[in-house]
Every structure is written in structure tokens, then in C-alpha cells.
Amino acid sequence: RGSETENSGSLGEVREASLFTFWSSPTSAQATIDLVPPLVAEGKNVLLLVHNLPENLNIIYWYKGITTTDDYEIARYLLSTNESVEGLAHSRRETIFRNGSLLIENVKQNDTGVYTLQSLDSRGNKKDTSVQLYVHQPVSQPSIRVTNDTVKEKDSVVFTCVSGDSEISIQWIFNNQNLKLTDRMMLSENNSRLSIDPVEGEDAGEYQCEVSNLVSSKKSSSISLIVNSE
Ligand SMILES: *[C@@H]1O[C@H](CO)[C@@H](O)[C@H](O)[C@H]1NC(C)=O
Ligand SMILES: *[C@@H]1O[C@H](CO)[C@@H](O)[C@H](O)[C@H]1NC(C)=O
């Protein structure tokens, strides 16, 4: 692997760099890019929404990364002919619109990174604006365990919510409602353990845990707690 060389000096790069100088007129406003939605989970779509594009544009380009050479071009839009053209970095999931916005469908983990918009106006002025996209993993389904699912009043039980994910929050669900904690219940610091001591008849029912991160949430299967009277 160590002997591989990068062939980065493509013809396109040379051509583009020699035709235009990289200055931008100080009077015109800078384009801005918003991610819609701001947080995107793997498998979903995201729109890189462009505001404030400069006037009198000829071509709008989108690049993966900050290097604006052919190798990294996702697509360009030719405004004079209303035509979009795919670039070498196009993955068949991107659509460029006349207003400059770029739609990425079914995002993958490796779509994470910087995206650069370049506008070229009729006088040859180029302007670059970049945005960082981060693709979040949805949470996996948690599982639930209990020390004993058939107990007597005054016994104690401990439910545990098991998740392989990090940066999550955990909620407990009792009979399909958010669990209302009583003074006989205690949660561990990260909510992954629910202790009930002593158990009473009213605690009998279905328990589930729900794990959430910034972009998704999933519920465990349910455990039915049976409480026999003494
Ligand atoms: C640009 O066009 C796309 C697709 O039609 C649309 O979703 C988006 O809202 C437009 N952006 C602006 C800033 O108008
Ligand atoms: C569960 O609790 C019941 C009632 O206290 C007890 O009889 C039983 O042995 C316990 N089962 C286990 C596996 O600890």
C-alpha cells in the first residue's frame, strides 16, 4: 500500500487554475448554507440549502471536501442552459438545483465531511462557501432484563436496559406510558437500571426501556412483571 502514489494534478485542475484568479469582489454578500434537517441520520435525506447566491452566475459547482478540482466535483449547474452535469465525485444520490441547493439522498456514514459550493459569475469571479455535514448513526434496539419477573409484595426487583450505543439517553415505559417514579423506585445515574424496593401490587404490568440519541429512538421489547400478594 505504501508504494501507491496519488495522481492529483489532473488536466482539469490546471485548466481551471490558470484561467481565473481567485479574488472575490468585496461588495457582494457571501452565500450561506444551511443543512435541512440540521441533524441527519444514516439512511435519510439532507438538503444543503443555499441562501444569498451572488448575482449573474454562469455556473454553480459542488465539491466533496474543500479542494475544488475535477476529482472532487459532485455536480455543476449551468444556468445559461438550465442543465446539471454530474462530476467525478457524484455517487448517484446527489441532485443539484438551479438555486444552488444540493440534495443528498439516503446518506451514508462516509458522506460525513465538508462540502464546498463554488459559484462562477459572468465576469469570471469565483466564490467558495463550505459546510460540514455529519451523518449520525441511528440507535440500535436496546434489550431489557429483570432480576425476577414473578415476585411477591415486599420483594425487590431491578430492571436493566442494555444498549451497545454511546451518547444515548434512556427512558422507562410502564404499560405504554412514561413511567412515573414513586418513592420506592430508584434510577441509576445513566437511567440504565431501575430498582423497585419494596415491590407493591400496583407495580405489576409491562416494562420497556427506550433509548434515544440526537437523531433517533428505539424501544426494547417488554417484560411483564407479576406481583403475587404475600
Ligand atoms: C431550491 O430548490 C429546492 C428544490 O426545488 C428547494 O427544496 C429549496 O427550498 C430551494 N432553496 C431555496 C433557498 O429556495
Ligand atoms: C423470584 O421471586 C420469587 C418470589 O419471591 C421466588 O420464589 C423465586 O425463587 C425468585 N426466582 C428467582 C430466579 O430468583
Side-chain angles (χ1 to χ4, degrees):
R1 283 227 117 217
S3 65
E4 283 178 22
T5 53
E6 284 258 327
N7 180 17
S8 59
S10 70
L11 276 178
E13 188 183 353
V14 174
R15 186 186 65 227
E16 298 211 348
S18 58
L19 274 181
F20 306 108
T21 46
F22 293 88
W23 59 275
S24 46
S25 108
T27 49
S28 48
Q30 180 74 29
T32 57
I33 305 165
D34 289 331
L35 300 177
V36 183
L39 296 172
V40 61
E42 194 170 38
K44 296 286 166 53
N45 301 344
V46 64
L47 184 66
L48 281 52
L49 185 65
V50 179
H51 301 285
N52 250 333
L53 265 183
E55 307 276 298
N56 300 320
L57 291 183
N58 279 359
I59 311 179
I60 298 159
Y61 302 86
W62 272 103
Y63 297 92
K64 179 80 193 284
I66 55 166
T67 310
T68 53
T69 58
D70 287 359
D71 286 352
Y72 300 97
E73 182 184 331
I74 297 168
R76 66 179 70 181
Y77 200 96
L78 313 172
L79 287 118
S80 55
T81 55
N82 259 331
E83 198 184 351
S84 66
V85 181
E86 294 176 3
L88 293 173
H90 196 270
S91 77
R92 316 210 155 276
R93 293 178 290 112
E94 300 94 347
T95 310
I96 190 169
F97 298 110
R98 186 181 171 83
N99 62 25
S101 298
L102 183 75
L103 174 70
I104 308 176
E105 293 177 88
N106 185 20
V107 294
K108 314 264 189 242
Q109 198 62 53
N110 66 7
D111 291 333
T112 290
V114 174
Y115 290 78
T116 301
L117 164 78
Q118 185 175 75
S119 61
L120 173 66
D121 74 14
S122 49
R123 293 192 299 166
N125 294 328
K126 283 184 177 179
K127 285 201 174 186
D128 292 1
T129 310
S130 293
V131 66
Q132 166 79 43
L133 174 69
Y134 186 80
V135 178
H136 297 265
Q137 284 291 125
V139 285
S140 47
Q141 194 191 15
S143 59
I144 182 174
R145 289 188 205 137
V146 65
T147 45
N148 190 340
D149 65 5
T150 308
V151 293
K152 296 197 303 283
E153 286 177 352
K154 303 285 185 302
D155 281 356
S156 67
V157 288
V158 179
F159 291 92
T160 306
C161 187
V162 182
S163 164
D165 296 330
S166 54
E167 291 175 46
I168 51 164
S169 60
I170 298 175
Q171 284 82 39
W172 288 90
I173 296 165
F174 177 58
N175 291 337
N176 294 316
Q177 312 267 318
N178 286 330
L179 174 70
K180 292 199 183 66
L181 283 186
T182 69
D183 54 7
R184 297 174 292 100
M185 295 178 180
M186 222 176 68
L187 289 170
S188 65
E189 203 184 319
N190 61 1
N191 282 9
S192 67
R193 272 196 319 278
L194 165 70
S195 317
I196 313 178
D197 186 15
V199 173
E200 289 187 359
E202 65 183 29
D203 301 324
E206 302 280 323
Y207 290 80
Q208 278 173 290
C209 67
E210 182 174 29
V211 165
S212 318
N213 67 6
L214 289 170
V215 295
S216 67
S217 64
K218 284 204 177 85
K219 285 179 186 153
S220 69
S221 58
S222 63
I223 283 183
S224 176
L225 182 70
I226 297 167
V227 181
N228 295 317
S229 44
E230 281 184 282

